[in-house]
Amino acid sequence: MERTKISEIWNPELIGKDVCVKGWVRTRRGNKHVQFVALNDGSTIKNIQIVFDMEKFTEDQLKPITTGASLHVEGKLVESQGKGQTAEIQAETLEIYGTADVNDYPLQKKGHTLEFLREKAHLRPRTNTFGAVLRIRHTLAFAIHKFFNDHGFFYLNTPLITSSDCEGAGAMFQVTTLDLNNVPKGEDGKVDYSQDFFGKPASLTVSGQLEGELGATALGAIYTFGPTFRAENSNTPRHLAEFWMIEPEVAFNDINDNMQLAEDFIKYCINYALENAADDIEFLAKMYDEELVDRLKSVVSHEFVRLTYTEGVKILEESGHKFEFPVYWGADLQSEHERFLVEEHFKRPVILTDYPKEIKAFYMKQNDDGKTVRAMDVLFPKIGEIIGGSEREESYDKLLARIDELGIPMKDMWWYLDTRRFGTVPHSGFGLGFERLLLFVTGMTNIRDVIPFPRTPNNCEF
Ligand code: ATP
Ligand code: MN
């Protein structure tokens, strides 16, 4: 008989029909007359209840059905008497694919802590929490591609291995095939990279933006969506060494268009999740964060505040609030500052613009004041910075001057500068950290809990 996924079983037309389901046992309970098994196949947060009439089955047959075991069951789908359930299956046949020893299988009881589950990252997708998080992750990934496709953007795959080390977005992981126990050295005593795989130093990318600009100044509007690597030794609940970033880049967009795009895009994603992952979001809300759904709805129904960095700093200075890190004009804002503006002061997302040029990247468009650049960070409740972006400097001369000022090696940048030499245009873009968006939508508080296989300092298990 053909298998029905449990997500498809809650269909009134199937009531009274014979069905086949396959999945993993969540719980078994009952007595010597009747046994109940909650089965889950990962397609939905909901378990289907299987009822075993003990006149048809023996104790011995059911004995291997413990939490974690995998089953194939056929039987009749009937309306359920139990509260909260609409249907259950009266088992006719049972096949046990695999057992899960009660003494060894780590996910016996419910209510394991998230810390415990991080230690069992290889099995945690089988829990309700991680099933919900991973389905929401998929739903949002799909929404992102859909949003950009529907708005005429092209998906551009930028390189993961790069030889440009000038973005300055964070420490890079080096990529090499040299024997680290026997590194070839030149006469100057430095590593001889001519013997390395690429004939020069190479690293994992910290951002696809610079290559994204090559795409945008050809295709008009592109987005990237791929893994990004930063060897930042910051053990925070908001940083991963390997994370996924979405980077749209649009020719002819100025900073205002860029802010509008960021706001429309992020609201679209949150709405899409509310509409298409409601069961999973409600589950997480019930388990971890009662205000989650209200917070999501509030963000999509209010306009984001738009404010300059200078105005933001003034609000922080005048707030009288004691921050751990000092705040003054020129300081790089910390997450506590960002969250104060969002959660205490405005009580909605804030887009902060026109940051001091010293704390932002070289490619951002310089304002006429000589002090600030056309940067924009989107700040979110519970998260702080969720998006970082800017209008880009399109003037060849100004860009070159800034590159010189910062001492960025020119020989690495020739291909980037060509965008400004040949048919340069105003353009803008931003980077959204996919896991930061997921933190917001799932209500999880540690970024390690919204990616299937987290990589952080001293943590690279499989
Ligand atoms: P932060 O100040 O929070 O470290 P950033 O300013 O270094 O971030 P950007 O270079 O602006 O980050 O990157 C764009 C987006 O990528 C950020 O707004 C954030 O959502 C996400 N991001 C950056 N670093 C990380 C990281 N280590 N782990 C997860 N997401 C990240
Ligand atoms: Mn940033």
Side-chain angles (χ1 to χ4, degrees):
M1 192 191 295
E2 205 181 319
R3 171 187 167 219
T4 303
K5 284 197 183 175
I6 295 171
S7 57
E8 305 296 319
I9 210 107
W10 320 100
N11 171 357
E13 283 177 18
L14 290 178
I15 296 284
K17 303 247 163 68
D18 281 331
V19 294
C20 161
V21 291
K22 301 177 179 186
W24 294 269
V25 174
R26 284 296 159 78
T27 56
R28 173 160 73 94
R29 62 187 176 82
N31 53 45
K32 58 182 194 297
H33 306 294
V34 60
Q35 290 274 316
F36 303 98
V37 169
L39 199 70
N40 188 285
D41 67 1
S43 62
T44 162
I45 189 84
K46 286 197 205 155
N47 303 327
I48 183 77
Q49 173 156 279
I50 319 274
V51 184
F52 290 90
D53 178 347
M54 295 311 282
E55 286 184 357
K56 293 184 190 153
F57 295 88
T58 66
E59 292 279 347
D60 274 359
Q61 252 180 309
L62 265 57
K63 208 163 166 229
I65 303 186
T66 57
T67 300
S70 47
L71 312 182
H72 161 196
V73 176
E74 297 186 7
K76 195 202 272 187
L77 189 75
V78 298
E79 251 168 298
S80 157
Q81 323 297 321
K83 71 168 176 1
Q85 319 215 12
T86 52
E88 62 190 26
I89 296 170
Q90 289 172 339
E92 293 292 340
T93 67
L94 165 69
E95 178 188 0
I96 296 170
Y97 287 124
T99 57
D101 192 312
V102 280
N103 297 310
D104 294 338
Y105 185 60
L107 306 178
Q108 286 302 329
K109 61 179 178 71
K110 284 188 176 176
H112 286 298
T113 65
L114 294 169
E115 288 79 8
F116 172 85
L117 293 174
R118 257 170 246 150
E119 305 280 312
K120 307 284 176 228
H122 64 305
L123 291 172
R124 68 179 184 172
R126 294 193 191 183
T127 62
N128 285 332
T129 294
F130 286 90
V133 167
L134 295 179
R135 280 185 299 270
I136 294 171
R137 190 178 164 105
H138 162 81
T139 301
L140 279 172
F142 184 79
I144 288 162
H145 284 298
K146 182 162 165 51
F147 175 89
F148 286 121
N149 183 63
D150 291 354
H151 287 77
F153 286 65
F154 299 102
Y155 180 34
L156 185 78
N157 298 123
T158 49
L160 299 190
I161 300 177
T162 171
S163 63
S164 82
D165 182 14
C166 32
E167 231 262 320
M172 300 180 94
F173 289 101
Q174 209 176 331
V175 175
T176 181
T177 52
L178 293 178
D179 177 359
L180 294 184
N181 289 310
N182 186 17
V183 177
K185 299 250 171 91
E187 278 171 11
D188 57 1
K190 290 192 176 154
V191 178
D192 179 9
Y193 281 106
S194 71
Q195 297 187 43
D196 202 352
F197 189 89
F198 296 107
K200 57 180 170 180
S203 309
L204 294 178
T205 185
V206 294
S207 158
Q209 180 203 317
L210 301 187
E211 294 90 349
E213 289 183 52
L214 301 176
T217 51
L219 300 169
I222 62 92
Y223 69 106
T224 72
F225 186 176
T228 309
F229 309 88
R230 295 190 186 176
E232 40 203 353
N233 209 350
S234 48
N235 245 317
T236 80
R238 283 167 292 105
H239 290 90
L240 291 162
E242 177 181 295
F243 65 100
W244 286 63
M245 187 143 66
I246 299 101
E247 294 180 281
E249 190 72 35
V250 190
F252 316 112
N253 265 11
D254 67 13
I255 190 171
N256 292 312
D257 304 321
N258 205 32
M259 285 193 275
Q260 198 56 50
L261 176 66
E263 182 166 345
D264 292 347
F265 167 57
I266 210 160
K267 284 180 171 172
Y268 176 89
C269 291
I270 295 167
N271 252 327
Y272 193 91
L274 281 167
E275 282 168 15
N276 294 280
D279 285 357
D280 289 319
I281 291 175
E282 275 159 28
F283 171 81
L284 294 173
K286 194 176 77 198
M287 292 295 291
Y288 299 101
D289 184 350
E290 285 187 335
E291 290 159 15
L292 177 62
V293 177
D294 285 346
R295 197 181 313 119
L296 298 181
K297 288 186 175 159
S298 151
V299 163
V300 293
S301 59
H302 290 100
E303 281 197 4
F304 296 1
V305 175
R306 298 180 187 190
L307 185 78
T308 65
Y309 168 92
T310 303
E311 290 165 325
V313 166
K314 194 153 170 273
I315 292 171
L316 292 168
E317 281 175 332
E318 289 172 359
S319 69
H321 189 88
K322 258 195 98 58
F323 294 106
E324 189 187 338
F325 293 90
V327 53
Y328 53 90
W329 200 94
D332 206 354
L333 298 186
Q334 304 292 326
S335 148
E336 55 168 342
H337 307 132
E338 298 170 341
R339 291 183 59 179
F340 181 88
L341 289 174
V342 172
E343 291 166 25
E344 311 286 329
H345 192 82
F346 290 109
K347 305 202 188 314
R348 50 184 151 138
V350 174
I351 311 183
L352 217 52
T353 61
D354 302 287
Y355 283 70
K357 66 176 183 198
E358 283 74 22
I359 57 171
K360 288 294 179 187
F362 74 93
Y363 50 71
M364 296 189 180
K365 186 174 172 71
Q366 298 159 33
N367 281 321
D368 292 339
D369 63 10
K371 293 193 300 193
T372 59
V373 289
R374 243 165 256 183
M376 51 157 251
D377 279 9
V378 180
L379 313 179
F380 253 49
K382 298 270 178 190
I383 312 288
E385 179 186 334
I386 194 164
I387 282 178
S390 70
E391 185 171 341
R392 319 303 189 189
E393 180 56 71
E394 85 263 23
S395 149
Y396 179 79
D397 292 335
K398 284 190 188 166
L399 187 62
L400 200 60
R402 189 70 183 135
I403 285 175
D404 278 347
E405 211 174 351
L406 293 169
I408 297 169
M410 268 299 299
K411 67 171 181 16
D412 295 338
M413 290 307 296
W414 61 270
W415 54 272
Y416 183 70
L417 286 167
D418 271 5
T419 55
R420 278 51 168 188
R421 282 178 66 208
F422 307 123
T424 190
V425 289
H427 62 290
S428 303
F430 60 81
L432 166 73
F434 188 40
E435 286 77 17
R436 299 242 177 123
L437 175 63
L438 273 158
L439 280 176
F440 186 71
V441 172
T442 60
M444 294 282 106
T445 53
N446 192 314
I447 201 161
R448 294 164 180 77
D449 297 333
V450 294
I451 187 164
F453 307 106
R455 267 86 189 86
T456 51
N458 294 313
N459 177 22
C460 187
E461 197 57 67
F462 18 61

